[in-house]
Amino acid sequence: MSIIKAGIIGQGRSGRNIHGNALSKLTDTYRIAAVCDGLEERRQRAEQEYGCKAYATYQEMTANEKLDLVVNASPSELHFPITLELLRQGINVLCEKPLAKTPAEVDQLIGAAKESGAVLAVFQQSRYMPAFVKLREVIDSGVLGRVVQVDFTSSNFSRRWDWQTMQANHGGNLLNTGPHPVDQALQLYGADEMPDITCIMDRANTFGDAEDYVKIVMRGPGRPTIDLEISSCTVYPRPVFTVHATNGGLTGDLRKLQWKYFKPEEAPQQQLIRTPLIKPNGEPAYCNEKLIWHENSWQYESVEGMAMTDQNTASLYAMLYASMTEGIPLAITPQQVRLQMAVMEECRRQNPHIYPSNVYQQA
């Protein structure tokens, strides 16, 4: 399988602008063999742009084409049922986020993939965001010391009235935007354990019935505290990333990071003093020391003229290609995404004023 023949479900913002755009350039590893979309004008455009066959339904597409991979870029509420059906047929699937809505649904997908032997991959391309990759590199180097807290912020000021504001369409900031920062946060918190969750949701500037303000705090013994914010009512947003640590910290956005730290071996030796601190002249004193600070920064540079989002997407597709052709384990697994769904379900459970408890039960 030197070239993976792919079919794309949907030719909207995701199916065309992200997946179609990426796969049409990755000609050494992928070929768009077919697409499907309910709108005739989109089918005609796809045939012209990709030189592939276009169908009105995914059932027609999979019945008439021998595909190595189906990219599920259907509307959010259809991700789970379509992916489940395809996996049961033994078809390899790359599903857009959100993969599902509950951990129970993810369990069904994992079970179906295991039973049929099909690949279940999830499009969490922000795992490959250059700024996040660099942030993890800095943390892993140990220069910041023990990480105490990490802030993730995906906030701006916007009013929204489209289909992705509706609960029935799996809308709202948590499921629309949340899969990216929640996935990143769990990589730093630890993807092996469910955090203790505190979540506040609100409907601020949305015209739909789903939330557009989300504040999540993740905590656990021996783990960094995660402060995650997704807000549509923030005129002055915080930095996208902020790391609080014992030897320094890091802050920045998608294009620039800066970090500052001291080296413990260069710091003055200190010990606890239980009596009042006094200056040499006898006046009361406050703790004061001079630390030698080391500062570094990172600036995003595009790769071969690619936009940042294209770079993230290409990296994920490279990972998936290696897994499908060489048997290398997926770097982003359905099990990891299951934990993400568990976090989101707990967030909904804690906000019955938006998500009634009789509708969303904890799995």
Side-chain angles (χ1 to χ4, degrees):
M1 195 195 302
S2 58
I3 301 293
I4 292 177
K5 292 183 293 183
I8 305 175
I9 300 175
Q11 281 295 284
R13 294 195 307 265
S14 175
R16 175 180 181 267
N17 297 356
I18 297 176
H19 296 280
N21 177 58
L23 291 175
S24 63
K25 297 174 182 176
L26 300 174
T27 54
D28 290 340
T29 48
Y30 292 89
R31 178 172 68 84
I32 300 175
V35 303
C36 69
D37 197 285
L39 299 178
E40 183 178 356
E41 59 268 27
R42 289 184 176 182
R43 296 196 297 272
Q44 293 176 351
R45 184 179 61 193
E47 289 175 337
Q48 294 173 356
E49 291 181 340
Y50 310 139
C52 70
K53 293 184 179 180
Y55 299 86
T57 69
Y58 70 91
Q59 293 94 337
E60 291 178 282
M61 181 179 74
T62 55
N64 287 280
E65 300 288 336
K66 188 175 182 181
L67 301 170
D68 302 313
L69 174 71
V70 170
V71 178
N72 186 358
S74 62
S76 298
E77 72 274 15
L78 298 179
H79 289 176
F80 166 70
I82 291 177
T83 298
L84 183 62
E85 180 182 340
L86 295 176
L87 291 173
R88 285 174 172 170
Q89 296 176 26
I91 298 173
N92 302 322
V93 181
L94 170 64
C95 185
E96 254 290 355
K97 58 79 184 171
L99 174 61
K101 193 161 191 175
T102 67
E105 289 181 345
V106 179
D107 287 339
Q108 291 185 60
L109 296 176
I110 293 173
K114 183 176 181 180
E115 185 173 346
S116 69
V119 173
L120 171 58
V122 191
F123 191 64
Q124 295 278 179
Q125 78 276 29
S126 289
R127 187 85 67 88
Y128 296 97
M129 179 188 295
F132 181 65
V133 171
K134 187 63 182 182
L135 179 150
R136 295 186 72 177
E137 179 185 313
V138 174
I139 289 176
D140 292 343
S141 73
V143 297
L144 300 182
R146 179 174 62 86
V147 175
V148 178
Q149 177 175 315
V150 184
D151 303 339
F152 292 86
T153 306
S154 299
S155 297
N156 58 16
F157 192 95
S158 64
R159 306 197 314 157
R160 193 167 180 177
W161 52 90
D162 64 339
W163 65 273
Q164 286 187 316
T165 66
M166 298 297 297
Q167 294 184 29
N169 299 123
H170 290 195
N173 278 9
L174 187 60
L175 278 172
N176 282 340
T177 304
H180 297 305
V182 173
D183 176 74
Q184 292 175 340
L186 288 171
Q187 296 309 298
L188 300 186
Y189 176 87
D192 60 326
E193 180 180 291
M194 177 70 178
D196 292 329
I197 299 294
T198 300
C199 179
I200 302 169
M201 290 185 183
D202 201 348
R203 295 176 61 252
N205 289 327
T206 179
F207 286 76
D209 63 351
E211 80 292 336
D212 65 345
Y213 170 88
V214 184
K215 168 70 75 170
I216 305 174
V217 176
M218 304 182 190
R219 294 171 293 173
R223 311 287 179 121
T225 295
I226 303 295
D227 181 327
L228 194 155
E229 176 184 293
I230 311 169
S231 171
S232 295
C233 55
T234 306
V235 176
Y236 301 105
R238 306 182 302 182
V240 175
F241 305 109
T242 300
V243 178
H244 314 238
T246 55
N247 293 348
L250 175 149
T251 190
D253 55 28
L254 306 188
R255 295 190 171 274
K256 185 176 181 180
L257 300 174
Q258 58 188 49
W259 58 100
K260 179 178 178 180
Y261 61 93
F262 75 90
K263 298 179 180 179
E265 65 271 18
E266 296 177 347
Q269 294 294 317
Q270 305 290 1
Q271 62 181 6
L272 178 64
I273 298 177
R274 297 181 181 275
T275 57
L277 298 182
I278 300 175
K279 295 180 181 179
N281 63 3
E283 294 180 357
Y286 190 78
C287 291
N288 186 27
E289 65 178 351
K290 291 185 178 181
L291 296 174
I292 300 173
W293 289 102
H294 301 265
E295 298 186 52
N296 284 290
S297 63
W298 168 89
Q299 190 93 22
Y300 169 73
E301 294 183 4
S302 62
V303 176
E304 298 177 353
M306 296 174 66
M308 185 187 304
T309 54
D310 295 339
Q311 184 177 333
N312 302 345
T313 299
S315 295
L316 187 140
Y317 270 111
M319 177 274 292
L320 180 57
Y321 181 83
S323 179
M324 292 184 65
T325 60
E326 302 173 34
I328 298 173
L330 291 167
I332 301 169
T333 68
Q335 288 77 11
Q336 294 170 352
V337 178
R338 185 194 189 281
L339 182 59
Q340 177 193 129
M341 294 295 103
V343 167
M344 292 184 178
E345 185 170 66
E346 175 60 17
C347 290
R348 291 191 294 269
R349 189 191 69 80
Q350 292 184 17
N351 289 269
H353 60 293
I354 297 178
Y355 295 97
S357 58
N358 63 325
V359 177
Y360 299 107
Q361 296 293 336
Q362 190 173 15

